[in-house]
Amino acid sequence: MKIFVLLIFFCASFKAQMLTSVYFEYNSYKLNKQSEKKLDSLTHLKSNLKFRIFGNCDISGTSDYNKKLSENRANTVNKYLQEKVGNNIKLESVIGLGKEKQINDNSTEELRGKNRRVDIFIDKIISAEEIKSGKSFASFFSKSVSQIKVKDTFLLPNVNFVGGRHVWFPKGDKVLIQLANILKDNPTMEIELQGHICCDYDNFDGEDLDLKTFNLSFTRANAIKEFLEKQGINPKRIKATGQGHLNPIAYPERGEGDFIKNRRVEIVLLKK
């Protein structure tokens, strides 16, 4: 499954994860003035943060050449930041992905330029006392549509995910078909899908092992959004967000049962 929209602020207040990107000219790993300005703005952030840096390329050239070019781009960004960040910011990983993470089809020069980039995943460092066991909400299917209210939050029962992946267990299929049917029967309804993770409390969000990105809670919500789109639901009616690990149902987690409970997506009703 491809994620075509990566340039997303998950939460501007750093209660969540942020992702930003800088771009490069063809066959270059030199920062331009616009990119330097964007990186400078990151160095002024005051929260305790971790940066993960990933270099990327368009599809031009060989895999080996693009791997090296992407590493050079990531290292350029890392070096620039190292000279400017304060002690509150930790530069945790610097990786060149080559041309693995194309976010479009490269059909125009403008689109190819979007792939010549470095992505910077920014996590707030969360202390243990900030993590509290959250509320377990009622099932979305426990009330009729006429009874639910805008801004109410609901659980998607039996829609839980494989560890480290945005793939749900098969028993979730029936539930998601049921959700799609409700959306079809209520064509003005709009929802927000909020993804959650378990286990990784050193970072705001977890690594998606399939996509190699550190926004697992978002990719879980987005996977359901894409499923609903395939069922004929207009994507403009669905918002996908990642909540990381800040609202676990079970905390501390004491086994696989608790892990599975926390690997979930919840629904917020935005419009009836």
Side-chain angles (χ1 to χ4, degrees), residues 13-14 19 49 57 59 70 74 120 130 139 160 169 189 193 221 228 231 238 247 260:
S13 65
F14 286 99
L19 170 62
L49 304 169
C57 295
I59 58 173
S70 68
I120 305 166
E130 291 182 77
S139 166
N160 301 96
F169 293 108
M189 181 181 287
L193 299 169
L228 294 173
Q231 303 304 310
I238 309 166
N247 296 294
I260 290 175

Side-chain angles (χ1 to χ4, degrees), residues 50 52 92 123-124 126 200-205 245:
K50 294 180 182 179
R52 294 186 179 94
E92 189 166 77
D123 276 313
K124 181 180 177 183
I126 306 295
D200 186 354
Y201 293 101
D202 291 330
N203 308 293
F204 166 74
D205 216 331
H245 64 230

Side-chain angles (χ1 to χ4, degrees), residues 182-200:
I182 289 175
L183 290 171
K184 290 176 183 177
D185 292 340
N186 298 273
T188 62
M189 181 181 287
E190 297 179 10
I191 61 172
E192 178 179 345
L193 299 169
Q194 297 183 342
H196 300 267
I197 66 168
C198 76
C199 315
D200 186 354

Side-chain angles (χ1 to χ4, degrees), residues 164-165 197 200 205-210 212-216:
R165 303 185 67 193
I197 66 168
D200 186 354
D205 216 331
E207 181 181 10
D208 187 310
L209 298 177
D210 298 304
K212 306 300 181 188
T213 58
F214 287 87
N215 58 344
L216 179 59

Side-chain angles (χ1 to χ4, degrees), residues 60-79:
S60 306
T62 66
S63 295
D64 289 343
Y65 180 83
N66 278 303
K67 176 71 171 174
K68 183 62 177 178
L69 179 58
S70 68
E71 290 171 351
N72 287 338
R73 287 173 175 167
N75 287 328
T76 295
V77 170
N78 181 59
K79 182 179 179 182

